[in-house]
Amino acid sequence: MQQPRNILLVDDEEDFLETTSLRLRRRSFEVKTAARWAAALPEVLAGWPHVVVLDVMLPDVDGMECLRLIKEVAPRLPVVMLTGHASLQASVWGLEHGAADYCLKPIELEELVEKIIIAYKDVGTAS
């Protein structure tokens, strides 16, 4: 199976978006960013991303609601959830509702890339 190429980063922290997108592009990923769910939704509906990296806390829509909406329109699209606020309940809910993984910020780039690749491969091998 191919590696994921198109990554959609959805996070309201501009520094995280800028730094992470730059570093992912250096690894030959195509990256689009959105600081709000309203900006991410058209990309999801267009079928552009292979993987979405989604912050749990967004200014316009709760990240858990975003996950639910993504799974409604693109049930096989892998979503890696990120949060700076650890919550066992939220992580369990996210995983039960289709998140491929749930990670704490800050996250090392190597770990994030690994999570993205695993999430993409898992969708390809799911029956």
Side-chain angles (χ1 to χ4, degrees):
M1 166 173 274
Q2 289 185 354
Q3 298 286 340
R5 181 160 174 79
N6 300 342
I7 308 302
L8 177 60
L9 295 178
V10 186
D11 197 303
D12 63 336
E13 294 180 30
E14 288 296 326
D15 288 344
F16 174 81
L17 289 178
E18 288 177 28
T19 303
T20 305
S21 63
L22 177 64
R23 294 178 74 197
L24 287 171
R25 286 183 183 112
R26 287 182 181 158
R27 293 174 174 263
S28 300
F29 290 101
E30 295 293 325
V31 182
K32 291 185 180 181
T33 63
R36 303 170 87 61
W37 170 244
L41 179 59
E43 298 300 338
V44 171
L45 291 174
W48 182 83
H50 294 135
V51 176
V52 175
V53 177
L54 176 65
D55 188 19
V56 172
M57 305 279 286
L58 295 173
D60 55 345
V61 179
D62 176 81
M64 294 302 183
E65 178 64 9
C66 294
L67 173 64
R68 189 188 67 72
L69 294 168
I70 289 170
K71 292 303 177 177
E72 268 184 22
V73 298
R76 294 183 49 81
L77 178 60
V79 179
V80 176
M81 304 288 293
L82 294 178
T83 185
H85 311 282
S87 164
L88 180 59
Q89 181 180 5
S91 63
V92 169
W93 189 95
L95 293 170
E96 286 177 348
H97 288 85
D101 212 329
Y102 194 97
C103 308
L104 290 176
K105 291 187 336 188
I107 186 168
E108 294 293 326
L109 185 68
E110 292 298 323
E111 182 181 0
L112 181 58
V113 168
E114 182 179 325
K115 301 289 185 181
I116 289 168
I117 291 169
I118 290 169
Y120 185 70
K121 286 182 178 180
D122 284 350
V123 168
T125 60
S127 28

PDB file of all heavy atoms in Angstrom, residues 36-73:
ATOM      1  N   ARG A  36      -9.966  26.468  11.727  1.00  0.00           N
ATOM      2  CA  ARG A  36     -11.364  26.316  12.148  1.00  0.00           C
ATOM      3  C   ARG A  36     -11.982  25.164  11.360  1.00  0.00           C
ATOM      4  O   ARG A  36     -11.563  24.866  10.244  1.00  0.00           O
ATOM      5  CB  ARG A  36     -12.154  27.590  11.873  1.00  0.00           C
ATOM      6  CG  ARG A  36     -11.580  28.834  12.522  1.00  0.00           C
ATOM      7  CD  ARG A  36     -12.235  30.110  12.055  1.00  0.00           C
ATOM      8  NE  ARG A  36     -13.423  30.524  12.771  1.00  0.00           N
ATOM      9  CZ  ARG A  36     -13.490  30.826  14.057  1.00  0.00           C
ATOM     10  NH1 ARG A  36     -12.414  30.715  14.787  1.00  0.00           N
ATOM     11  NH2 ARG A  36     -14.596  31.230  14.607  1.00  0.00           N
ATOM     12  N   TRP A  37     -13.010  24.581  11.942  1.00  0.00           N
ATOM     13  CA  TRP A  37     -13.724  23.491  11.271  1.00  0.00           C
ATOM     14  C   TRP A  37     -14.343  23.983   9.963  1.00  0.00           C
ATOM     15  O   TRP A  37     -14.338  23.266   8.961  1.00  0.00           O
ATOM     16  CB  TRP A  37     -14.793  22.918  12.194  1.00  0.00           C
ATOM     17  CG  TRP A  37     -15.712  21.980  11.490  1.00  0.00           C
ATOM     18  CD1 TRP A  37     -17.045  22.140  11.288  1.00  0.00           C
ATOM     19  CD2 TRP A  37     -15.376  20.730  10.873  1.00  0.00           C
ATOM     20  NE1 TRP A  37     -17.562  21.072  10.592  1.00  0.00           N
ATOM     21  CE2 TRP A  37     -16.545  20.194  10.317  1.00  0.00           C
ATOM     22  CE3 TRP A  37     -14.190  20.028  10.721  1.00  0.00           C
ATOM     23  CZ2 TRP A  37     -16.577  18.987   9.635  1.00  0.00           C
ATOM     24  CZ3 TRP A  37     -14.220  18.817  10.038  1.00  0.00           C
ATOM     25  CH2 TRP A  37     -15.403  18.311   9.507  1.00  0.00           C
ATOM     26  N   ALA A  38     -14.849  25.203   9.946  1.00  0.00           N
ATOM     27  CA  ALA A  38     -15.487  25.739   8.748  1.00  0.00           C
ATOM     28  C   ALA A  38     -14.528  25.743   7.553  1.00  0.00           C
ATOM     29  O   ALA A  38     -14.955  25.554   6.412  1.00  0.00           O
ATOM     30  CB  ALA A  38     -16.015  27.150   9.009  1.00  0.00           C
ATOM     31  N   ALA A  39     -13.249  25.927   7.795  1.00  0.00           N
ATOM     32  CA  ALA A  39     -12.253  25.906   6.718  1.00  0.00           C
ATOM     33  C   ALA A  39     -11.838  24.486   6.351  1.00  0.00           C
ATOM     34  O   ALA A  39     -11.413  24.231   5.224  1.00  0.00           O
ATOM     35  CB  ALA A  39     -11.029  26.720   7.127  1.00  0.00           C
ATOM     36  N   ALA A  40     -11.968  23.556   7.271  1.00  0.00           N
ATOM     37  CA  ALA A  40     -11.571  22.167   7.020  1.00  0.00           C
ATOM     38  C   ALA A  40     -12.653  21.390   6.273  1.00  0.00           C
ATOM     39  O   ALA A  40     -12.351  20.517   5.451  1.00  0.00           O
ATOM     40  CB  ALA A  40     -11.262  21.473   8.341  1.00  0.00           C
ATOM     41  N   LEU A  41     -13.903  21.697   6.552  1.00  0.00           N
ATOM     42  CA  LEU A  41     -15.021  20.938   5.984  1.00  0.00           C
ATOM     43  C   LEU A  41     -14.983  20.833   4.458  1.00  0.00           C
ATOM     44  O   LEU A  41     -15.151  19.734   3.924  1.00  0.00           O
ATOM     45  CB  LEU A  41     -16.354  21.526   6.459  1.00  0.00           C
ATOM     46  CG  LEU A  41     -17.609  20.857   5.923  1.00  0.00           C
ATOM     47  CD1 LEU A  41     -17.649  19.373   6.292  1.00  0.00           C
ATOM     48  CD2 LEU A  41     -18.849  21.575   6.420  1.00  0.00           C
ATOM     49  N   PRO A  42     -14.747  21.919   3.711  1.00  0.00           N
ATOM     50  CA  PRO A  42     -14.712  21.777   2.252  1.00  0.00           C
ATOM     51  C   PRO A  42     -13.646  20.788   1.761  1.00  0.00           C
ATOM     52  O   PRO A  42     -13.870  20.074   0.781  1.00  0.00           O
ATOM     53  CB  PRO A  42     -14.410  23.198   1.753  1.00  0.00           C
ATOM     54  CG  PRO A  42     -14.862  24.090   2.859  1.00  0.00           C
ATOM     55  CD  PRO A  42     -14.620  23.322   4.130  1.00  0.00           C
ATOM     56  N   GLU A  43     -12.515  20.750   2.441  1.00  0.00           N
ATOM     57  CA  GLU A  43     -11.454  19.805   2.049  1.00  0.00           C
ATOM     58  C   GLU A  43     -11.904  18.356   2.281  1.00  0.00           C
ATOM     59  O   GLU A  43     -11.641  17.478   1.468  1.00  0.00           O
ATOM     60  CB  GLU A  43     -10.166  20.091   2.812  1.00  0.00           C
ATOM     61  CG  GLU A  43      -9.576  21.455   2.565  1.00  0.00           C
ATOM     62  CD  GLU A  43      -9.201  21.723   1.107  1.00  0.00           C
ATOM     63  OE1 GLU A  43      -8.991  20.755   0.332  1.00  0.00           O
ATOM     64  OE2 GLU A  43      -9.131  22.902   0.742  1.00  0.00           O
ATOM     65  N   VAL A  44     -12.568  18.137   3.408  1.00  0.00           N
ATOM     66  CA  VAL A  44     -13.078  16.790   3.711  1.00  0.00           C
ATOM     67  C   VAL A  44     -14.134  16.405   2.689  1.00  0.00           C
ATOM     68  O   VAL A  44     -14.115  15.285   2.141  1.00  0.00           O
ATOM     69  CB  VAL A  44     -13.639  16.730   5.153  1.00  0.00           C
ATOM     70  CG1 VAL A  44     -14.359  15.415   5.412  1.00  0.00           C
ATOM     71  CG2 VAL A  44     -12.513  16.932   6.175  1.00  0.00           C
ATOM     72  N   LEU A  45     -15.070  17.306   2.413  1.00  0.00           N
ATOM     73  CA  LEU A  45     -16.139  17.009   1.453  1.00  0.00           C
ATOM     74  C   LEU A  45     -15.601  16.759   0.047  1.00  0.00           C
ATOM     75  O   LEU A  45     -16.151  15.955  -0.698  1.00  0.00           O
ATOM     76  CB  LEU A  45     -17.157  18.154   1.431  1.00  0.00           C
ATOM     77  CG  LEU A  45     -18.000  18.321   2.689  1.00  0.00           C
ATOM     78  CD1 LEU A  45     -18.861  19.573   2.592  1.00  0.00           C
ATOM     79  CD2 LEU A  45     -18.845  17.087   2.961  1.00  0.00           C
ATOM     80  N   ALA A  46     -14.514  17.434  -0.296  1.00  0.00           N
ATOM     81  CA  ALA A  46     -13.900  17.247  -1.615  1.00  0.00           C
ATOM     82  C   ALA A  46     -13.123  15.940  -1.713  1.00  0.00           C
ATOM     83  O   ALA A  46     -12.725  15.529  -2.797  1.00  0.00           O
ATOM     84  CB  ALA A  46     -12.983  18.428  -1.933  1.00  0.00           C
ATOM     85  N   GLY A  47     -12.892  15.290  -0.566  1.00  0.00           N
ATOM     86  CA  GLY A  47     -12.148  14.025  -0.580  1.00  0.00           C
ATOM     87  C   GLY A  47     -10.652  14.200  -0.722  1.00  0.00           C
ATOM     88  O   GLY A  47      -9.941  13.274  -1.072  1.00  0.00           O
ATOM     89  N   TRP A  48     -10.155  15.413  -0.438  1.00  0.00           N
ATOM     90  CA  TRP A  48      -8.729  15.676  -0.620  1.00  0.00           C
ATOM     91  C   TRP A  48      -7.831  14.936   0.364  1.00  0.00           C
ATOM     92  O   TRP A  48      -6.846  14.310  -0.062  1.00  0.00           O
ATOM     93  CB  TRP A  48      -8.452  17.193  -0.558  1.00  0.00           C
ATOM     94  CG  TRP A  48      -7.017  17.502  -0.797  1.00  0.00           C
ATOM     95  CD1 TRP A  48      -6.401  17.617  -2.007  1.00  0.00           C
ATOM     96  CD2 TRP A  48      -5.994  17.676   0.186  1.00  0.00           C
ATOM     97  NE1 TRP A  48      -5.056  17.861  -1.836  1.00  0.00           N
ATOM     98  CE2 TRP A  48      -4.782  17.896  -0.485  1.00  0.00           C
ATOM     99  CE3 TRP A  48      -5.986  17.653   1.578  1.00  0.00           C
ATOM    100  CZ2 TRP A  48      -3.585  18.109   0.165  1.00  0.00           C
ATOM    101  CZ3 TRP A  48      -4.789  17.867   2.237  1.00  0.00           C
ATOM    102  CH2 TRP A  48      -3.604  18.093   1.529  1.00  0.00           C
ATOM    103  N   PRO A  49      -8.091  14.993   1.675  1.00  0.00           N
ATOM    104  CA  PRO A  49      -7.081  14.416   2.583  1.00  0.00           C
ATOM    105  C   PRO A  49      -7.103  12.891   2.606  1.00  0.00           C
ATOM    106  O   PRO A  49      -8.147  12.252   2.455  1.00  0.00           O
ATOM    107  CB  PRO A  49      -7.469  14.975   3.957  1.00  0.00           C
ATOM    108  CG  PRO A  49      -8.929  15.254   3.872  1.00  0.00           C
ATOM    109  CD  PRO A  49      -9.195  15.606   2.429  1.00  0.00           C
ATOM    110  N   HIS A  50      -5.911  12.337   2.775  1.00  0.00           N
ATOM    111  CA  HIS A  50      -5.782  10.906   3.059  1.00  0.00           C
ATOM    112  C   HIS A  50      -5.896  10.660   4.556  1.00  0.00           C
ATOM    113  O   HIS A  50      -6.312   9.587   4.982  1.00  0.00           O
ATOM    114  CB  HIS A  50      -4.444  10.364   2.552  1.00  0.00           C
ATOM    115  CG  HIS A  50      -4.325  10.390   1.071  1.00  0.00           C
ATOM    116  ND1 HIS A  50      -3.193  10.827   0.424  1.00  0.00           N
ATOM    117  CD2 HIS A  50      -5.200  10.046   0.091  1.00  0.00           C
ATOM    118  CE1 HIS A  50      -3.369  10.742  -0.877  1.00  0.00           C
ATOM    119  NE2 HIS A  50      -4.583  10.277  -1.105  1.00  0.00           N
ATOM    120  N   VAL A  51      -5.460  11.658   5.350  1.00  0.00           N
ATOM    121  CA  VAL A  51      -5.523  11.594   6.812  1.00  0.00           C
ATOM    122  C   VAL A  51      -5.795  13.006   7.332  1.00  0.00           C
ATOM    123  O   VAL A  51      -5.242  13.972   6.811  1.00  0.00           O
ATOM    124  CB  VAL A  51      -4.209  11.051   7.428  1.00  0.00           C
ATOM    125  CG1 VAL A  51      -4.252  11.070   8.955  1.00  0.00           C
ATOM    126  CG2 VAL A  51      -3.889   9.648   6.921  1.00  0.00           C
ATOM    127  N   VAL A  52      -6.635  13.089   8.363  1.00  0.00           N
ATOM    128  CA  VAL A  52      -6.875  14.353   9.054  1.00  0.00           C
ATOM    129  C   VAL A  52      -6.225  14.271  10.426  1.00  0.00           C
ATOM    130  O   VAL A  52      -6.395  13.280  11.139  1.00  0.00           O
ATOM    131  CB  VAL A  52      -8.388  14.637   9.224  1.00  0.00           C
ATOM    132  CG1 VAL A  52      -8.614  15.899  10.060  1.00  0.00           C
ATOM    133  CG2 VAL A  52      -9.070  14.748   7.872  1.00  0.00           C
ATOM    134  N   VAL A  53      -5.460  15.303  10.774  1.00  0.00           N
ATOM    135  CA  VAL A  53      -4.923  15.453  12.123  1.00  0.00           C
ATOM    136  C   VAL A  53      -5.744  16.570  12.750  1.00  0.00           C
ATOM    137  O   VAL A  53      -5.696  17.712  12.291  1.00  0.00           O
ATOM    138  CB  VAL A  53      -3.415  15.791  12.103  1.00  0.00           C
ATOM    139  CG1 VAL A  53      -2.907  16.018  13.519  1.00  0.00           C
ATOM    140  CG2 VAL A  53      -2.634  14.674  11.406  1.00  0.00           C
ATOM    141  N   LEU A  54      -6.528  16.225  13.778  1.00  0.00           N
ATOM    142  CA  LEU A  54      -7.573  17.103  14.290  1.00  0.00           C
ATOM    143  C   LEU A  54      -7.381  17.408  15.767  1.00  0.00           C
ATOM    144  O   LEU A  54      -7.312  16.498  16.594  1.00  0.00           O
ATOM    145  CB  LEU A  54      -8.934  16.415  14.083  1.00  0.00           C
ATOM    146  CG  LEU A  54     -10.177  17.089  14.614  1.00  0.00           C
ATOM    147  CD1 LEU A  54     -10.437  18.403  13.896  1.00  0.00           C
ATOM    148  CD2 LEU A  54     -11.368  16.146  14.460  1.00  0.00           C
ATOM    149  N   ASP A  55      -7.325  18.698  16.082  1.00  0.00           N
ATOM    150  CA  ASP A  55      -7.258  19.141  17.476  1.00  0.00           C
ATOM    151  C   ASP A  55      -8.636  18.966  18.115  1.00  0.00           C
ATOM    152  O   ASP A  55      -9.658  19.164  17.466  1.00  0.00           O
ATOM    153  CB  ASP A  55      -6.825  20.603  17.534  1.00  0.00           C
ATOM    154  CG  ASP A  55      -6.544  21.096  18.944  1.00  0.00           C
ATOM    155  OD1 ASP A  55      -6.325  20.265  19.846  1.00  0.00           O
ATOM    156  OD2 ASP A  55      -6.544  22.319  19.144  1.00  0.00           O
ATOM    157  N   VAL A  56      -8.655  18.612  19.378  1.00  0.00           N
ATOM    158  CA  VAL A  56      -9.912  18.413  20.098  1.00  0.00           C
ATOM    159  C   VAL A  56     -10.595  19.741  20.410  1.00  0.00           C
ATOM    160  O   VAL A  56     -11.822  19.821  20.454  1.00  0.00           O
ATOM    161  CB  VAL A  56      -9.658  17.597  21.391  1.00  0.00           C
ATOM    162  CG1 VAL A  56     -10.887  17.545  22.263  1.00  0.00           C
ATOM    163  CG2 VAL A  56      -9.202  16.190  21.037  1.00  0.00           C
ATOM    164  N   MET A  57      -9.813  20.794  20.610  1.00  0.00           N
ATOM    165  CA  MET A  57     -10.370  22.095  20.996  1.00  0.00           C
ATOM    166  C   MET A  57     -10.253  23.077  19.831  1.00  0.00           C
ATOM    167  O   MET A  57      -9.170  23.580  19.552  1.00  0.00           O
ATOM    168  CB  MET A  57      -9.621  22.653  22.209  1.00  0.00           C
ATOM    169  CG  MET A  57      -9.576  21.728  23.397  1.00  0.00           C
ATOM    170  SD  MET A  57     -11.038  21.735  24.403  1.00  0.00           S
ATOM    171  CE  MET A  57     -10.872  23.283  25.230  1.00  0.00           C
ATOM    172  N   LEU A  58     -11.372  23.340  19.153  1.00  0.00           N
ATOM    173  CA  LEU A  58     -11.408  24.311  18.063  1.00  0.00           C
ATOM    174  C   LEU A  58     -12.343  25.452  18.445  1.00  0.00           C
ATOM    175  O   LEU A  58     -13.268  25.254  19.233  1.00  0.00           O
ATOM    176  CB  LEU A  58     -11.894  23.647  16.772  1.00  0.00           C
ATOM    177  CG  LEU A  58     -10.983  22.567  16.200  1.00  0.00           C
ATOM    178  CD1 LEU A  58     -11.655  21.877  15.023  1.00  0.00           C
ATOM    179  CD2 LEU A  58      -9.649  23.147  15.775  1.00  0.00           C
ATOM    180  N   PRO A  59     -12.129  26.629  17.866  1.00  0.00           N
ATOM    181  CA  PRO A  59     -12.951  27.768  18.278  1.00  0.00           C
ATOM    182  C   PRO A  59     -14.396  27.720  17.786  1.00  0.00           C
ATOM    183  O   PRO A  59     -15.285  28.270  18.430  1.00  0.00           O
ATOM    184  CB  PRO A  59     -12.216  28.974  17.681  1.00  0.00           C
ATOM    185  CG  PRO A  59     -11.357  28.428  16.609  1.00  0.00           C
ATOM    186  CD  PRO A  59     -11.048  27.005  16.972  1.00  0.00           C
ATOM    187  N   ASP A  60     -14.657  27.070  16.645  1.00  0.00           N
ATOM    188  CA  ASP A  60     -16.007  27.111  16.097  1.00  0.00           C
ATOM    189  C   ASP A  60     -16.834  25.853  16.357  1.00  0.00           C
ATOM    190  O   ASP A  60     -18.054  25.936  16.495  1.00  0.00           O
ATOM    191  CB  ASP A  60     -15.998  27.452  14.606  1.00  0.00           C
ATOM    192  CG  ASP A  60     -15.138  26.534  13.762  1.00  0.00           C
ATOM    193  OD1 ASP A  60     -14.304  25.792  14.317  1.00  0.00           O
ATOM    194  OD2 ASP A  60     -15.289  26.571  12.530  1.00  0.00           O
ATOM    195  N   VAL A  61     -16.197  24.699  16.419  1.00  0.00           N
ATOM    196  CA  VAL A  61     -16.899  23.442  16.672  1.00  0.00           C
ATOM    197  C   VAL A  61     -15.986  22.561  17.513  1.00  0.00           C
ATOM    198  O   VAL A  61     -14.789  22.482  17.253  1.00  0.00           O
ATOM    199  CB  VAL A  61     -17.260  22.711  15.350  1.00  0.00           C
ATOM    200  CG1 VAL A  61     -17.969  21.391  15.617  1.00  0.00           C
ATOM    201  CG2 VAL A  61     -18.115  23.578  14.445  1.00  0.00           C
ATOM    202  N   ASP A  62     -16.553  21.898  18.494  1.00  0.00           N
ATOM    203  CA  ASP A  62     -15.788  20.971  19.322  1.00  0.00           C
ATOM    204  C   ASP A  62     -15.181  19.882  18.433  1.00  0.00           C
ATOM    205  O   ASP A  62     -15.838  19.381  17.520  1.00  0.00           O
ATOM    206  CB  ASP A  62     -16.730  20.356  20.365  1.00  0.00           C
ATOM    207  CG  ASP A  62     -16.053  19.321  21.209  1.00  0.00           C
ATOM    208  OD1 ASP A  62     -15.353  19.696  22.156  1.00  0.00           O
ATOM    209  OD2 ASP A  62     -16.222  18.122  20.906  1.00  0.00           O
ATOM    210  N   GLY A  63     -13.932  19.523  18.710  1.00  0.00           N
ATOM    211  CA  GLY A  63     -13.245  18.513  17.916  1.00  0.00           C
ATOM    212  C   GLY A  63     -13.958  17.173  17.891  1.00  0.00           C
ATOM    213  O   GLY A  63     -13.924  16.457  16.883  1.00  0.00           O
ATOM    214  N   MET A  64     -14.610  16.805  18.971  1.00  0.00           N
ATOM    215  CA  MET A  64     -15.350  15.544  18.997  1.00  0.00           C
ATOM    216  C   MET A  64     -16.543  15.598  18.045  1.00  0.00           C
ATOM    217  O   MET A  64     -16.863  14.633  17.371  1.00  0.00           O
ATOM    218  CB  MET A  64     -15.827  15.216  20.418  1.00  0.00           C
ATOM    219  CG  MET A  64     -14.693  14.948  21.375  1.00  0.00           C
ATOM    220  SD  MET A  64     -13.646  13.589  20.799  1.00  0.00           S
ATOM    221  CE  MET A  64     -12.520  13.490  22.154  1.00  0.00           C
ATOM    222  N   GLU A  65     -17.178  16.771  17.965  1.00  0.00           N
ATOM    223  CA  GLU A  65     -18.268  16.950  17.006  1.00  0.00           C
ATOM    224  C   GLU A  65     -17.718  16.907  15.582  1.00  0.00           C
ATOM    225  O   GLU A  65     -18.338  16.338  14.681  1.00  0.00           O
ATOM    226  CB  GLU A  65     -19.000  18.268  17.257  1.00  0.00           C
ATOM    227  CG  GLU A  65     -20.122  18.560  16.290  1.00  0.00           C
ATOM    228  CD  GLU A  65     -21.295  17.589  16.329  1.00  0.00           C
ATOM    229  OE1 GLU A  65     -21.376  16.718  17.228  1.00  0.00           O
ATOM    230  OE2 GLU A  65     -22.157  17.686  15.442  1.00  0.00           O
ATOM    231  N   CYS A  66     -16.530  17.475  15.365  1.00  0.00           N
ATOM    232  CA  CYS A  66     -15.880  17.408  14.054  1.00  0.00           C
ATOM    233  C   CYS A  66     -15.633  15.962  13.649  1.00  0.00           C
ATOM    234  O   CYS A  66     -15.878  15.578  12.502  1.00  0.00           O
ATOM    235  CB  CYS A  66     -14.555  18.158  14.056  1.00  0.00           C
ATOM    236  SG  CYS A  66     -14.703  19.923  14.270  1.00  0.00           S
ATOM    237  N   LEU A  67     -15.156  15.153  14.585  1.00  0.00           N
ATOM    238  CA  LEU A  67     -14.922  13.739  14.308  1.00  0.00           C
ATOM    239  C   LEU A  67     -16.226  13.075  13.868  1.00  0.00           C
ATOM    240  O   LEU A  67     -16.258  12.344  12.880  1.00  0.00           O
ATOM    241  CB  LEU A  67     -14.344  13.035  15.539  1.00  0.00           C
ATOM    242  CG  LEU A  67     -14.200  11.516  15.433  1.00  0.00           C
ATOM    243  CD1 LEU A  67     -13.207  11.127  14.340  1.00  0.00           C
ATOM    244  CD2 LEU A  67     -13.776  10.934  16.769  1.00  0.00           C
ATOM    245  N   ARG A  68     -17.293  13.349  14.592  1.00  0.00           N
ATOM    246  CA  ARG A  68     -18.592  12.765  14.252  1.00  0.00           C
ATOM    247  C   ARG A  68     -19.013  13.183  12.843  1.00  0.00           C
ATOM    248  O   ARG A  68     -19.462  12.357  12.037  1.00  0.00           O
ATOM    249  CB  ARG A  68     -19.647  13.188  15.274  1.00  0.00           C
ATOM    250  CG  ARG A  68     -20.975  12.452  15.117  1.00  0.00           C
ATOM    251  CD  ARG A  68     -22.046  13.026  16.015  1.00  0.00           C
ATOM    252  NE  ARG A  68     -22.432  14.380  15.643  1.00  0.00           N
ATOM    253  CZ  ARG A  68     -23.154  14.696  14.564  1.00  0.00           C
ATOM    254  NH1 ARG A  68     -23.553  13.760  13.732  1.00  0.00           N
ATOM    255  NH2 ARG A  68     -23.466  15.953  14.313  1.00  0.00           N
ATOM    256  N   LEU A  69     -18.834  14.457  12.518  1.00  0.00           N
ATOM    257  CA  LEU A  69     -19.212  14.963  11.200  1.00  0.00           C
ATOM    258  C   LEU A  69     -18.348  14.360  10.095  1.00  0.00           C
ATOM    259  O   LEU A  69     -18.845  14.020   9.020  1.00  0.00           O
ATOM    260  CB  LEU A  69     -19.123  16.489  11.185  1.00  0.00           C
ATOM    261  CG  LEU A  69     -20.119  17.210  12.089  1.00  0.00           C
ATOM    262  CD1 LEU A  69     -19.752  18.680  12.230  1.00  0.00           C
ATOM    263  CD2 LEU A  69     -21.540  17.045  11.586  1.00  0.00           C
ATOM    264  N   ILE A  70     -17.046  14.229  10.350  1.00  0.00           N
ATOM    265  CA  ILE A  70     -16.154  13.607   9.364  1.00  0.00           C
ATOM    266  C   ILE A  70     -16.608  12.187   9.088  1.00  0.00           C
ATOM    267  O   ILE A  70     -16.700  11.754   7.934  1.00  0.00           O
ATOM    268  CB  ILE A  70     -14.687  13.621   9.846  1.00  0.00           C
ATOM    269  CG1 ILE A  70     -14.132  15.040   9.811  1.00  0.00           C
ATOM    270  CG2 ILE A  70     -13.825  12.681   8.998  1.00  0.00           C
ATOM    271  CD1 ILE A  70     -12.779  15.205  10.503  1.00  0.00           C
ATOM    272  N   LYS A  71     -16.901  11.447  10.132  1.00  0.00           N
ATOM    273  CA  LYS A  71     -17.294  10.045   9.966  1.00  0.00           C
ATOM    274  C   LYS A  71     -18.646   9.903   9.274  1.00  0.00           C
ATOM    275  O   LYS A  71     -18.912   8.902   8.631  1.00  0.00           O
ATOM    276  CB  LYS A  71     -17.279   9.315  11.310  1.00  0.00           C
ATOM    277  CG  LYS A  71     -15.866   9.151  11.866  1.00  0.00           C
ATOM    278  CD  LYS A  71     -14.993   8.414  10.864  1.00  0.00           C
ATOM    279  CE  LYS A  71     -13.562   8.270  11.298  1.00  0.00           C
ATOM    280  NZ  LYS A  71     -12.774   7.495  10.334  1.00  0.00           N
ATOM    281  N   GLU A  72     -19.488  10.937   9.363  1.00  0.00           N
ATOM    282  CA  GLU A  72     -20.761  10.925   8.632  1.00  0.00           C
ATOM    283  C   GLU A  72     -20.536  11.027   7.130  1.00  0.00           C
ATOM    284  O   GLU A  72     -21.188  10.333   6.358  1.00  0.00           O
ATOM    285  CB  GLU A  72     -21.640  12.103   9.064  1.00  0.00           C
ATOM    286  CG  GLU A  72     -22.581  11.807  10.174  1.00  0.00           C
ATOM    287  CD  GLU A  72     -23.491  13.005  10.481  1.00  0.00           C
ATOM    288  OE1 GLU A  72     -23.689  13.888   9.607  1.00  0.00           O
ATOM    289  OE2 GLU A  72     -23.992  13.038  11.604  1.00  0.00           O
ATOM    290  N   VAL A  73     -19.638  11.927   6.724  1.00  0.00           N
ATOM    291  CA  VAL A  73     -19.445  12.176   5.295  1.00  0.00           C
ATOM    292  C   VAL A  73     -18.323  11.349   4.675  1.00  0.00           C
ATOM    293  O   VAL A  73     -18.317  11.133   3.463  1.00  0.00           O
ATOM    294  CB  VAL A  73     -19.222  13.680   5.006  1.00  0.00           C
ATOM    295  CG1 VAL A  73     -20.430  14.480   5.425  1.00  0.00           C
ATOM    296  CG2 VAL A  73     -17.967  14.203   5.646  1.00  0.00           C
TER     297      VAL A  73
END
